[in-house]
Amino acid sequence: MRIINDILDISKIEAGHLTLRQTPVVVSELVQLSRQNVDLLAQVAQVRLVTRLPEESPVVHVDRDRIVQALVNILSNAVKFAPPESTVTIEVSDDGHEVAIAVSDQGSGIADADLRRVFERFQQVDSSASRPKGGTGLGLAITKALVEQHGGRVHATSVVGQGARFTVVLPLAADSIVERRADG
């Protein structure tokens, strides 16, 4: 079912028929919802999820469900490729104009040649470490398209043998208010 939904999503995006329902959303809510979607996957994979949020969480004007979908795609890949007993870190930062949501894993990393194409449709890193992991190769293409439709960008960096870092950058809402963390 997920494969069908991914194909439908990529078709809607390419045809310009994907409707976004944008509202102001606190970034920490996006991170928490995304994390909840992959908590069980992380437990099964024996991967620890760590979240680093700023004391004050910025607000973005987005389609909450679609940005959560994009973040879940990145998080689930990070968990999938992280070795057992390792950590996947979700870190939020902003510069007053944009917010960056970065997901870092401690997996085998991605070679430069493969890193250039991971956001293309039906692309998968072709190495012995990743072959048994499965997937359609659509998740990151969908993520890139969704983020770009929100006026943002996504990029990846990696060092082979040291993991990968995928970062979603979104513009802050024009009337961005900041919500203080309850635990901060």
Side-chain angles (χ1 to χ4, degrees), residues 1-8 136 138:
M1 190 60 148
R2 182 169 182 206
I3 293 170
I4 292 169
N5 286 336
D6 282 351
I7 292 170
L8 289 173
T136 62
L138 289 173

Side-chain angles (χ1 to χ4, degrees), residues 96-116:
H97 302 287
E98 299 176 313
V99 63
I101 305 166
V103 175
S104 303
D105 66 54
Q106 298 173 324
S108 59
I110 304 168
D112 284 343
D114 292 325
L115 198 58
R116 291 187 197 106

